[in-house]
Amino acid sequence: DTGVSQNPRHKITKRGQNVTFRCDPISEHNRLYWYRQTLGQGPEFLTYFQNEAQLEKSRLLSDRFSAERPKGSFSTLEIQRTEQGDSAMYLCASSPSLGRQAFFGQGTRLTVV
Amino acid sequence: QQPVQSPQAVILREGEDAVINCSSSKALYSVHWYRQKHGEAPVFLMILLKGGEQKGHEKISASFNEKKQQSSLYLTASQLSYSGTYFCGKEGGGATNKLIFGTGTLLAVQP
């Protein structure tokens, strides 16, 4: 399977714990996006990488959130001191440099208890 | 700035047609359409880049009226596999091509 891969698929954590999610984009795609989706809503943009550079962050991304994309390959999204309001589906998408179509991964569903 | 979709939900019988509308209060330069089944990733359907453009994908097609800042998705002779939530998305501007997704339309096709 050469699509966008996200791990883990599900994560249950206690409030206050740190969590990290991983996204492996399609190999030749240099654009990578993180979105957050809550039940019944459309995905909301969180952050964007072009290769290893993080070029845009949404105001939704509080200082408890950090994302990296070392060497322009896979990306990680870390949430520190999780809160119940962080419970959501975290989606990763990638697209090629000259394309506009975004390919989404299956997402990581986070539940904070 | 989020596009508004209508209807919010629609129930169809197999073989019936449906139209999903997407409206933006601000300028709409392109429209992306996605379908998402429960628990799965959004799947790209099509992108419309020019006002007046119409595109088709199997029995699903779309139109884009740039002047009215609207797009419509047409599903004809619906199949059970069409069930899911449909989202339109507008590009957020700048060089990122990030998408601002619409409010979503839940489509249920029944036998």
Side-chain angles (χ1 to χ4, degrees):
Chain A
D1 190 334
T2 56
V4 178
S5 175
Q6 291 188 247
N7 288 288
R9 292 290 310 278
H10 303 274
K11 178 73 178 178
I12 300 174
T13 191
K14 290 185 178 178
R15 193 169 39 186
Q17 298 292 306
N18 299 344
V19 293
T20 300
F21 311 140
R22 177 177 170 127
C23 170
D24 287 273
I26 295 171
S27 60
E28 63 269 24
H29 289 184
N30 66 341
R31 295 170 173 254
L32 187 145
Y33 307 82
W34 284 98
Y35 290 83
R36 180 172 68 188
Q37 186 176 28
T38 52
L39 202 59
Q41 303 297 315
E44 293 175 293
F45 170 78
L46 292 179
T47 191
Y48 165 72
F49 287 87
Q50 184 162 321
N51 299 310
E52 66 276 8
Q54 187 175 21
L55 296 185
E56 186 170 346
K57 292 195 289 187
S58 162
R59 281 170 289 185
L60 291 174
L61 214 65
S62 76
D63 55 7
R64 295 185 297 105
F65 288 70
S66 63
E68 291 183 340
R69 191 182 181 195
K71 301 178 184 176
S73 55
F74 69 92
S75 175
T76 58
L77 178 69
E78 181 183 16
I79 309 174
Q80 296 183 324
R81 305 181 303 280
T82 51
E83 301 172 357
Q84 285 193 317
D86 297 332
S87 295
M89 174 77 85
Y90 290 84
L91 291 163
C92 176
S94 70
S95 66
S97 57
L98 296 179
R100 295 165 84 150
Q101 176 184 343
F103 296 81
F104 280 83
Q106 298 276 52
T108 295
R109 180 166 294 285
L110 173 67
T111 303
V112 182
V113 297
Chain B
Q1 199 178 5
Q2 180 183 32
V4 175
Q5 292 181 230
S6 62
Q8 285 187 313
V10 58
I11 301 174
L12 299 174
R13 295 264 181 217
E14 263 187 301
E16 290 182 339
D17 301 341
V19 180
I20 298 171
N21 299 303
C22 172
S23 294
S24 175
S25 59
K26 297 201 171 182
L28 199 58
Y29 300 111
S30 64
V31 181
H32 300 230
W33 283 98
Y34 283 82
R35 175 173 60 212
Q36 185 177 29
K37 293 183 181 285
H38 183 68
E40 297 182 10
V43 173
F44 175 81
L45 294 176
M46 65 191 81
I47 176 174
L48 297 101
L49 298 173
K50 298 177 192 174
E53 184 173 18
Q54 292 191 327
K55 273 195 176 176
H57 174 78
E58 297 177 346
K59 291 181 182 175
I60 300 174
S61 61
S63 63
F64 176 29
N65 188 325
E66 191 175 357
K67 210 170 179 180
K68 289 186 178 179
Q69 297 171 180
Q70 291 177 346
S71 178
S72 294
L73 187 72
Y74 307 93
L75 300 101
T76 57
S78 58
Q79 305 167 13
L80 294 175
S81 61
Y82 287 2
S83 293
T85 301
Y86 289 78
F87 292 102
C88 65
K90 61 180 278 187
E91 292 180 12
T96 68
N97 283 355
K98 71 183 181 194
L99 290 175
I100 300 170
F101 284 89
T103 49
T105 296
L106 177 62
L107 177 75
V109 181
Q110 297 179 341

